[in-house]
Amino acid sequence: MLDLSVIELPQNKIKKLGQELFALERLLEEFEKCVDQQKEQLEHLKELEVLSQKDLEDLQHMKDNIPPHLPRKMDTVRREPGMNHNEAADIQPQAENVKTTKKIFVREMEFITMSEFEGIPQYMKGRVSYDQLNAAVHSINAAVTAKYKILHQSVKTLNNHARKLHQRFKDQETKDTKGQHFVVEEDIREFTQTKVDKRFQGILNMLRHCQRLRELRGGGLTRYMLV
């Protein structure tokens, strides 16, 4: 007769080997998940680097549009070579006047949270990432800030280009925009490097879905009002 105890030993080994293989498969799956997460983080870092570069370009653009009558910060606190103490004293009161200027409150759009982003329908998001959506929020805020800084200045202090912008901003206002902050597509082109294309229109739809802005049409213009 065949002794069954002789067969049980290999079966136990096979069972143990199967358990070890299963454990290895789970470890491999966890490793692959970690690799995917690292890849996503790397993509986010690349997008943030692009966003930072755009920030620098926007700041340089705003710096170039500073009205000529306003002294730059370094010029008001640093004495140029060859300048005597009396000349430096003449400049100091001007610097103090700039410091005591009343701060202007400009409303900004809040950034989209991850939970809000995940709640946007996939057909609406398309291939737009979370960071790309918030990069658009940043650009809109930059345009709003630049626009209302010009509006809060006296027309007499503005250069020719800024005066034309000031007049355009006033012409675009209506009774429905009173007390509200809004921009149009032309403002985004003027103050940021963002391309106002079909993809950007899709981003605006997502921002409306997240209740960050609403549209106000009239006079051949679409005004994007901050909510």
Side-chain angles (χ1 to χ4, degrees), residues 73-91:
K73 185 176 180 180
M74 292 299 295
D75 293 336
T76 60
V77 298
R78 184 180 62 189
R79 191 177 64 186
E80 297 296 334
M83 181 182 294
N84 60 40
H85 291 284
N86 292 333
E87 291 172 332
D90 291 339
I91 292 179

Side-chain angles (χ1 to χ4, degrees), residues 133-166:
L133 179 58
N134 274 326
V137 172
H138 175 81
S139 294
I140 293 173
N141 283 338
V144 171
T145 300
K147 170 184 176 178
Y148 284 91
K149 280 187 176 180
I150 292 176
L151 276 174
H152 283 88
Q153 294 183 50
S154 172
V155 177
K156 295 180 180 179
T157 64
L158 301 175
N159 57 32
N160 290 335
H161 180 65
R163 287 183 181 182
K164 292 178 181 179
L165 291 175
H166 189 283

Side-chain angles (χ1 to χ4, degrees), residues 50-51 54-55 57-58 61 132-143 184-201 203-204:
V50 174
L51 177 60
K54 289 183 178 179
D55 288 345
E57 293 174 356
D58 291 342
H61 181 76
Q132 289 171 338
L133 179 58
N134 274 326
V137 172
H138 175 81
S139 294
I140 293 173
N141 283 338
V184 299
E185 291 183 359
E186 193 173 354
D187 299 331
I188 297 172
R189 295 190 186 95
E190 174 72 29
F191 298 113
T192 74
Q193 304 296 321
T194 302
K195 291 184 178 180
V196 183
D197 51 14
K198 186 177 180 180
R199 179 175 173 275
F200 186 75
Q201 291 297 329
I203 290 176
L204 293 176

Side-chain angles (χ1 to χ4, degrees), residues 29-174:
E29 290 177 358
E30 292 296 327
F31 177 74
E32 289 176 347
K33 288 181 181 179
C34 291
V35 172
D36 291 337
Q37 290 176 355
Q38 292 294 328
K39 287 181 179 179
E40 291 180 1
Q41 291 179 359
L42 181 60
E43 290 297 324
H44 288 327
L45 288 173
K46 290 180 179 179
E47 291 174 354
L48 288 174
E49 183 181 3
V50 174
L51 177 60
S52 299
Q53 184 62 34
K54 289 183 178 179
D55 288 345
L56 292 174
E57 293 174 356
D58 291 342
L59 287 173
Q60 184 61 43
H61 181 76
M62 294 175 65
K63 180 180 178 181
D64 294 339
N65 287 327
I66 294 177
H69 76 287
L70 290 178
R72 297 184 183 274
K73 185 176 180 180
M74 292 299 295
D75 293 336
T76 60
V77 298
R78 184 180 62 189
R79 191 177 64 186
E80 297 296 334
M83 181 182 294
N84 60 40
H85 291 284
N86 292 333
E87 291 172 332
D90 291 339
I91 292 179
Q92 189 63 29
Q94 187 177 13
E96 292 177 355
N97 290 336
V98 174
K99 291 180 181 179
T100 57
T101 301
K102 185 178 179 180
K103 290 185 177 180
I104 300 170
F105 171 76
V106 178
R107 186 176 179 181
E108 290 188 345
M109 183 187 303
E110 294 183 0
F111 287 99
I112 302 298
T113 64
M114 181 57 74
S115 60
E116 287 177 316
F117 179 75
E118 293 174 349
I120 300 174
Q122 185 59 43
Y123 77 88
M124 189 179 293
K125 285 192 290 190
R127 300 181 64 181
V128 176
S129 69
Y130 173 73
D131 290 330
Q132 289 171 338
L133 179 58
N134 274 326
V137 172
H138 175 81
S139 294
I140 293 173
N141 283 338
V144 171
T145 300
K147 170 184 176 178
Y148 284 91
K149 280 187 176 180
I150 292 176
L151 276 174
H152 283 88
Q153 294 183 50
S154 172
V155 177
K156 295 180 180 179
T157 64
L158 301 175
N159 57 32
N160 290 335
H161 180 65
R163 287 183 181 182
K164 292 178 181 179
L165 291 175
H166 189 283
Q167 186 59 49
R168 175 165 67 81
F169 298 154
K170 286 294 186 181
D171 293 340
Q172 292 170 352
E173 293 178 351
T174 68

